[in-house]
Structure formats: structure tokens, C-alpha cells
Amino acid sequence: MMAFRARRLEEAKRLSTSNLELLWWVFMRVSGVLLVFLVLGHLYTRAVLLNFHHDLTYDVVARNMSTVTWKFYNWLLLFLSILHGTNGLRYSIDDYLPSPRARVWVKVIVYTLVFLVTVFGTLSLWAWNYTPVR
Amino acid sequence: MYRGREGQWAFYLHRISGIAIILFLALHVTEISSSMFGPKWFNALLKFEENPIFGLGLVGVAALVLYHALNGLRIILMDFTSWGVKLQRQLWYAVWVVYVILGFPMLFIMLKHVFVGGA
């Protein structure tokens, strides 16, 4: 199973060596559109509306992350961006690492790290349970 | 026709920004998730990150994200419309027009956050 590069959906169907590879090609486009809105929304609320550099504290993050809406928003953002980014990294590894042995090792390391980061992120997201002090 | 022209630059910038963004994402998720270790640790970490180097780093990542997002939409237009590939060069220039329109106010506000201090 090799990653491929295609310019059109028909071309992608023709070039794909497996249904899974075609599915990834489609996923990159679909998740890409969703991520444009999710990431720009994240940037707007966290970096433009909020002074991310000076006003960010445990309380601010905690209050935000304790609402179900923001938990879901951030979880979707985390999952889509991790899958989109890791698959993009896989394309790059296949393109720039000629040695099959090196590819396998780099992929094992990358996927392990990605898995750990995702688990850590998911755990922390659902761990937030902030009761404001009145 | 392709090599050294706009299309190739668009591709390389998309690759490089993508790789940089996934590396940042891994660090960013780890950093925010370390809030699980409690307010004392997390506030100390945030205090440490008030160094302008981190603020400017975030401005840089935002700049890469904006390019990757807009050029990604260009790729989707090329993939799913009948005219996208033919107009790919014009679309790339359109990406830069939107980039400046959205990016300039964002840059201004983010730099203000970094250097002008809290509300």
C-alpha cells in the first residue's frame, strides 16, 4: 500500500492501490474543509478575542473546558487534526525516505508518539470539571 | 511548465507548513494536557511561556496555519471542480490576497497581545 498523488477524484480512483488509500485521499479533503472552520474558530476565540499571551490561566482554561460544547469542539479538533496531520506526515515519509527499513522505524516511532499524545489529550479534555468559586 | 513555477512553490509551502504544524500540534496538545498535573504546575508553565519568544512562535504558527488552510481550499477546488486545475496559478494568487486580508488584522492583534500586555 503506497501513498499516491492525484489531482482529480477520477485520477485518485485510478491511482489508488487500495480502497483504504482512496479513503485517506478523500478524508484529507473532507477533514481539511472541516478543519479550516474548526482551526480558524480556535484561533479566533483563543488568539484574537483572548489575550493568549498574558491572560491565559488555569482558571480561564478550566472554565472553558468544563462545558460540554467546548469539550466536543476541542475533541473533534484534536482528532481531525491529528489524523490529518499524521497522514500528511506519512505521505512525506514515503516521499523523502528511500530506505524501506528507515521508513518502518520512523513510522513506528511517529505513530507511537501520536498515539500517546492523543490519549493524553483526550484524557485531559474529559478530566476538566471546574466548579467556579462564588 | 510546472517546475520552479507557482504550483511547485504552492506544493512545497504546503508540505513544509504541514510538517511544522503537526510538530507544533504535538507540543501544544502535550502542553495544554499537562493541566492535568494541577493549577500550580500549569500556571507556572504558562508564566514561563510569557517569554515573548513563545508569543512570537505562536504568531509564526498562526501564519503557517492560515497559508495551509487557504492553499488547502485551493487544492480542494483543483480536485473537485472542472476549472480548478486550469486556474491553479490564479487561485494561488487569490490565496495570497485572502491571506493578506485575513492575516494582517490577525498579525496586528496577536502582536498587540504579545507586546502590549494584559487587558
Side-chain angles (χ1 to χ4, degrees):
Chain A
M1 186 177 59
M2 268 291 290
F4 61 90
R5 207 178 295 148
R7 273 207 223 137
R8 305 290 308 273
L9 182 61
E10 303 86 75
E11 206 184 335
K13 279 191 186 139
R14 196 166 48 76
L15 288 175
S16 57
T17 45
S18 69
N19 282 332
L20 184 66
E21 207 52 70
L22 180 64
L23 209 66
W24 275 118
W25 190 89
V26 173
F27 171 80
M28 290 306 265
R29 273 77 191 161
V30 175
S31 63
V33 173
L34 294 171
L35 280 168
V36 168
F37 294 101
L38 288 169
V39 172
L40 292 186
H42 179 76
L43 269 177
Y44 184 68
T45 54
R46 302 300 155 91
V48 172
L49 292 183
L50 182 83
N51 187 331
F52 63 93
H53 196 65
H54 291 286
D55 295 347
L56 210 58
T57 60
Y58 182 87
D59 272 18
V60 169
V61 180
R63 208 166 300 161
N64 213 290
M65 297 289 209
S66 296
T67 61
V68 178
T69 315
W70 279 116
K71 273 190 208 294
F72 186 71
Y73 184 105
N74 283 299
W75 187 72
L76 195 64
L77 180 59
L78 173 70
F79 258 75
L80 288 179
S81 55
I82 286 278
L83 285 175
H84 187 104
T86 309
N87 193 45
L89 213 47
R90 182 175 69 91
Y91 291 161
S92 306
I93 292 167
D94 281 341
D95 276 357
Y96 302 123
L97 279 185
S99 143
R101 261 174 75 95
R103 266 188 218 177
V104 170
W105 279 109
V106 170
K107 281 180 186 174
V108 165
I109 294 164
V110 166
Y111 297 162
T112 308
L113 286 175
V114 164
F115 179 74
L116 291 176
V117 167
T118 311
V119 169
F120 194 40
T122 306
L123 279 178
S124 84
L125 202 51
W126 296 103
W128 286 110
N129 185 14
Y130 183 73
T131 1
V133 187
R134 284 172 209 282
Chain B
M1 191 182 124
Y2 176 76
R3 274 182 181 276
R5 305 239 16 201
E6 290 90 338
Q8 200 188 19
W9 284 108
F11 170 78
Y12 277 140
L13 269 177
H14 203 75
R15 270 269 152 109
I16 293 165
S17 60
I19 294 168
I21 292 164
I22 183 74
L23 292 178
F24 165 77
L25 180 70
L27 286 175
H28 183 56
V29 172
T30 309
E31 160 218 29
I32 297 296
S33 303
S34 77
S35 58
M36 274 200 291
F37 301 137
K40 215 177 146 198
W41 152 261
F42 194 56
N43 281 329
L45 179 68
L46 289 173
K47 195 89 211 147
F48 172 68
E49 287 173 0
E50 276 198 30
N51 188 311
I53 289 171
F54 291 100
L56 291 176
L58 281 179
V59 174
V61 171
L64 292 177
V65 164
L66 190 58
Y67 174 77
H68 200 85
L70 295 175
N71 190 56
L73 292 177
R74 169 180 163 270
I75 292 174
I76 289 167
L77 288 179
M78 283 159 65
D79 287 339
F80 293 106
T81 68
S82 54
W83 45 267
V85 174
K86 215 166 63 193
L87 291 180
Q88 62 89 11
R89 189 178 314 145
Q90 285 85 341
L91 280 171
W92 199 53
Y93 290 123
V95 162
W96 287 112
V97 171
V98 180
Y99 187 85
V100 171
I101 292 171
L102 293 179
F104 192 73
M106 254 175 80
L107 177 73
F108 181 76
I109 295 167
M110 286 183 80
L111 284 179
K112 205 178 125 206
H113 286 333
V114 175
F115 291 109
V116 186

